[in-house]
Amino acid sequence: MLASLSIRDVVLIERLDLAFGPGLSVLTGETGAGKSILLDSLGLALGMRAEAGLVRAGQAQASVAALFQPPPGHPVFALLAEQGMEPEEALVLRRVVQADGRSRAFVNDQPVGVALLRRIGAMLVEVQGQHDQVGLADPATHGALLDAFGGLEAPRAAVAAAWKGWRQAEAALREAEEAVAAALRDEEWLRHAVAELGALAPAEGEEEALSAERQSLQQAERRTEAIAAALAELQPRDRRSAQPAAALRNAARALERLPAAPGSGFAEAVQPVLAALAAAQDQLAEAERLLERLAGDAMPDPRRLEALEDRLYALRSAARKHGVAVVELPGLLETLTRRLAALDAGTDRVGALTLARDAARRGYLEAAAALTAARREAARALEAALARELPPLKLDRARVVVEVAEREESAWGPEGVDRVTLLVSTNPGQAPGQLVKIASGGELSRLMLALKVVLAQGSPVPTLVFDEVDAGIGGATAAAVGERLARVAERLQVLVVTHSPQVAARGAQHLQVAKSLRGGRAETRVIPLDAAARREEIARMLAGETVTEAARAAADSLLRGAA
């Protein structure tokens, strides 16, 4: 409900803070006192159009803040969550209007667009006036109201679920058809690519493994070259080059051929040299043998290295051709194979999905037909309930028709296939038409009141505002209006601007709107009335400018009757 309204520098209001309670709150006052300014101010907070003329003369800006306390689980909390806003128990809608007409909007002090503010406001307050009705006057709201009146939540939920299933089946079929169409366009290339990549048969991690093996073979090749070079030094093929083994042998023979003079000791001296030369020959032979063994062990397979090079080239060439990395080739082959399989099995899949789509559509239509039947039954009950409410409101010749008509298929949705419209005829023989086109201002407000009396239990909007719903009526009709406003206020918060004492007497809270002069400027004030002041205000409404004891007595009678 609306808990409070704070207004700053709006037209004739300099500073005003109002608190509202549950039930019926009435605002009274003489014509021109500024009651419309209050409604305009509330409208600003609800996202209505901002105008520079609303800013109090001489001020830079006007501001209005409305504090709401929605009931738990109210749809406004879901809307706030959709917008990424943290839900809070209290909800403050604030609007600031500059003197040039520009405005800013805030929800709980977070800047928002005016469109979002208007959406939130429409979920919290419904205004019914003689000239600008919102809510029931909008045919788009009639279906939900009828469903709430008839308690049709279960069949409506079934329709929504069936609609979702149908949409999902449609999407799956459309996706399959698009996949087959795309595959058909690329069929020749697809088959060639799958055959080519299938013959290549790229494996996961193959490039890395091949590169490592190639590096190992290349290192082995370099080791073999080094061993061969070492052997070449020990075993030169050029006969003109010095042969290390032959040189050692020749040196030993030369020493052995030298004659040894008796007693000279030369033979003994040369023996260590000959032994060293013999050892050198043995070590050299061992070195040659070991090098030859290493050469045999380290010799890489030249054909394997060539095969590796060819494989790497083929993989990298295929990757370049398809615009992917080598590591992605196995995945690409799998994807293309699936596409080809989808093409081969596409017709069967599309056929199966078509059957599923048709079954989902039939399920939706069956659920929608059940909802339509329930709505038509609820429509007759609603018409009967409204027929009982209209005569006391001086609308005894009026007739409300709840039309449940099938929409075109393009307009079907999760709420069903029906277009629900409340139509009215205010005179016998007159064809029913839309509420706002058939009824006059006063009739429309009373029709809205009758509808609210019947539909209050299903209304998601917790606060209703009626602007002069009693215009042009009096006596028993005004009393009936007051009694019905009080009935609606048992379920919802109701604010009513009224000139009728019969309506004012029904209020749980009475606010008097008055205009006075302060500092040479007109100013609108709102005064909460206690019991005595309230009696005096109702007496004034009964008697006019001069309040008499008879008027006070009549006011007492009205207040006792409303208690």
Side-chain angles (χ1 to χ4, degrees), residues 61-79:
Q61 66 178 33
S63 67
V64 181
L67 171 64
F68 292 90
Q69 294 174 329
H74 190 275
V76 74
F77 294 120
L79 176 59

Side-chain angles (χ1 to χ4, degrees), residues 220-346:
E221 190 175 55
R222 287 193 292 272
R223 288 194 298 270
T224 299
E225 291 173 354
I227 293 170
L231 283 171
E233 292 296 329
L234 297 178
Q235 302 171 349
R237 295 183 179 182
D238 187 355
R239 294 185 177 276
R240 291 173 297 178
S241 300
Q243 300 284 336
L248 290 173
R249 288 193 299 272
N250 292 335
R253 289 187 187 118
L255 291 174
E256 289 171 349
R257 288 195 297 266
L258 290 174
S264 63
F266 177 77
E268 292 78 3
V270 97
Q271 285 304 314
V273 177
L274 291 173
L277 288 172
Q281 290 180 65
D282 292 341
Q283 291 295 324
L284 182 61
E286 178 66 13
E288 289 179 353
R289 184 180 64 79
L290 292 174
L291 283 173
E292 287 171 349
R293 179 187 297 176
L294 281 176
D297 294 341
M299 178 68 71
D301 183 356
R303 289 174 297 178
R304 176 57 181 165
L305 183 58
E306 183 180 355
L308 287 176
E309 295 285 1
D310 290 344
R311 180 65 176 173
L312 281 171
Y313 176 81
L315 290 171
R316 289 167 180 172
S317 177
R320 286 193 301 272
K321 180 177 181 178
H322 291 283
V324 298
V326 172
V327 294
E328 297 174 6
L329 284 176
L332 175 63
L333 176 58
E334 183 180 350
T335 299
L336 296 179
T337 302
R338 280 201 308 267
R339 286 179 59 186
L340 190 57
L343 172 62
D344 293 337

Side-chain angles (χ1 to χ4, degrees), residues 506-530:
R506 291 279 180 174
Q509 178 186 29
H510 194 148
L511 303 173
Q512 183 187 41
V513 183
K515 185 165 61 176
S516 61
L517 289 176
R518 192 177 74 165
R521 296 183 64 175
E523 181 178 274
T524 292
R525 297 176 296 113
V526 179
I527 307 164
L529 301 182
D530 58 19

